[in-house]
Amino acid sequence: MQALVDRLRRPDARITVLTGAGVSAASGVPTFRGADGLWKNFRPETLATAEAFGRDPKLVWEWYAWRRSLIAACDPNPAHRVLAEWSRRFENFRLITQNVDGLHESAFAEATARQAGPSDVIRLHGSIWEVSCWQGCAKSPARWRDETLSFAELPPRCPHCGGMVRPGVVWFGETLEPDVVQQASDATECEVFITVGTSAIVYPAAGFITAARQNGAFTVEINPEATAATHTVDLALTGGAEKLLPDIDRQISA
Ligand code: BV8
Ligand code: ZN
């Protein structure tokens, strides 16, 4: 832990954090692979695909509507808050997330009194609070925000063409936005890279841990369980993010 704290104390240190569903677990958001990740015995990978949406858009939307209603009742936890504080305190701090729940953005807005921009929270997989037109009609923007919790009908309708809208997330088998991937890749050029609350199974997200190590970063994992990355990092801290991140923050400021 001291090796990490010493490096975080360097004011000019470039610090990058990658988060997964585990950082929101203490807020009550189900993880993907945790026991509570299952929904009606569907594996998330089978619902979070364009094929599944094409086959049964109503079923897929019921799943997203369920997750939206659940997430809407959740607040950022101390892990989100420490990371938001770090984005304010550290000159060279970057946050990459796989999460679509928007809790990092909420914590950022609380800590800075302004909305998080795309460089404040690098969102690899989009946002569950955004939608886009399934037809990609000419008049509709690429994505737009829609926080409706009880849609009149599922799938909801595109206000521009009357067709279906889809959740504004990146599904399995879909490529990530190239500029987002570039931002995340640039962020692996750092002195300290911390992976928090991810099983490190989904790519290209998990690949950024390897890239950071190859760029000479001191790599750290925070997770109560072993993951696909545990044996690759310089320091594996076993425990919940909502406890360990405040601990680390206290030691930095001590
Ligand atoms: C793509 C949005 C080009 C939707 C998501 C290379 C090798 C193998 C496979 C592939 C590869 N390259 C591409 C693939 C295919 C695929 C993939 O990675 N498949 C996996 C399953 C093997 N990747 C893709 O399809 C990507 N697209 O590559 O396009 C292409 C296309 C086709 C073929 C080749 C290339 C797109 C991936 C994005 C999919 N969308 N989300 C939605 O949310 O509905 S992914 C989704 O699942 C999440 O965003 C996240 O990324 C992932 C879940 O992982 P975690 O967040 O880590 O959550 P998990 O539950 O697994 O783990 C939680 C962890 O937290 C646990 O370790 C637990 O111990 C820990 N924890 C629990 N409590 C706490 C805690 N930690 C800290 N504190 C706590 N309190
Ligand atoms: Zn449309």
Side-chain angles (χ1 to χ4, degrees):
M1 176 76 99
Q2 202 50 43
L4 170 60
V5 170
D6 294 346
R7 285 174 172 80
L8 292 176
R9 279 202 176 123
R10 295 190 196 137
D12 60 349
R14 292 173 301 169
I15 301 158
T16 298
V17 175
L18 169 72
T19 66
V23 81
S24 295
S27 296
V29 180
T31 63
F32 275 68
R33 283 174 182 73
D36 61 359
L38 283 177
W39 182 78
K40 286 186 179 172
N41 305 323
F42 283 95
R43 295 274 342 122
E45 288 88 33
T46 57
L47 280 168
T49 64
E51 292 70 35
F53 190 83
R55 245 191 338 266
D56 189 341
K58 186 166 182 310
L59 176 71
V60 171
W61 257 111
E62 281 170 351
W63 184 50
Y64 281 96
W66 170 70
R67 289 171 63 188
R68 284 160 62 108
S69 59
L70 203 148
I71 294 167
C74 298
D75 294 318
N77 66 61
H80 298 108
R81 296 210 169 88
V82 165
L83 296 174
E85 174 50 30
W86 286 3
S87 59
R88 227 174 46 72
R89 186 192 311 157
F90 293 120
E91 192 58 34
N92 306 307
F93 177 83
R94 261 82 48 94
L95 176 59
I96 309 168
T97 191
Q98 299 168 72
N99 302 346
V100 297
D101 58 29
L103 293 179
H104 281 304
E105 293 89 335
S106 307
F108 182 91
E110 282 170 17
T112 64
R114 71 174 174 83
Q115 284 309 310
S119 58
D120 299 313
V121 180
I122 302 170
R123 290 194 300 210
L124 295 176
H125 300 156
S127 169
I128 204 167
W129 299 113
E130 292 182 354
V131 298
S132 63
C133 175
W134 176 241
Q135 275 77 27
C137 68
K139 288 204 248 39
S140 68
R143 280 192 190 146
W144 64 93
R145 199 161 174 84
D146 185 327
E147 299 177 6
T148 311
L149 286 181
S150 53
F151 287 103
E153 61 171 320
L154 289 180
R157 294 283 144 198
C158 171
H160 306 283
C161 71
M164 297 188 292
V165 296
R166 57 162 285 173
V169 298
V170 178
W171 279 330
F172 289 95
E174 293 185 325
T175 51
L176 283 58
E177 281 180 36
D179 59 342
V180 169
V181 173
Q182 189 55 53
Q183 271 187 301
S185 178
D186 295 347
T188 63
E189 305 271 352
C190 56
E191 277 72 46
V192 179
F193 187 98
I194 310 175
T195 172
V196 182
T198 182
S199 54
I201 292 171
V202 170
Y203 283 76
F208 296 120
I209 304 168
T210 318
R213 200 180 65 252
Q214 285 161 352
N215 290 333
F218 181 74
T219 54
V220 179
E221 179 181 66
I222 294 176
N223 198 307
E225 291 168 19
T227 76
T230 305
H231 66 288
T232 71
V233 296
D234 299 300
L235 176 64
L237 302 173
T238 305
E242 68 282 0
K243 184 174 172 324
L244 286 179
L245 282 171
D247 287 357
I248 294 166
D249 190 47
R250 265 191 298 280
Q251 290 189 41
I252 299 171
S253 345

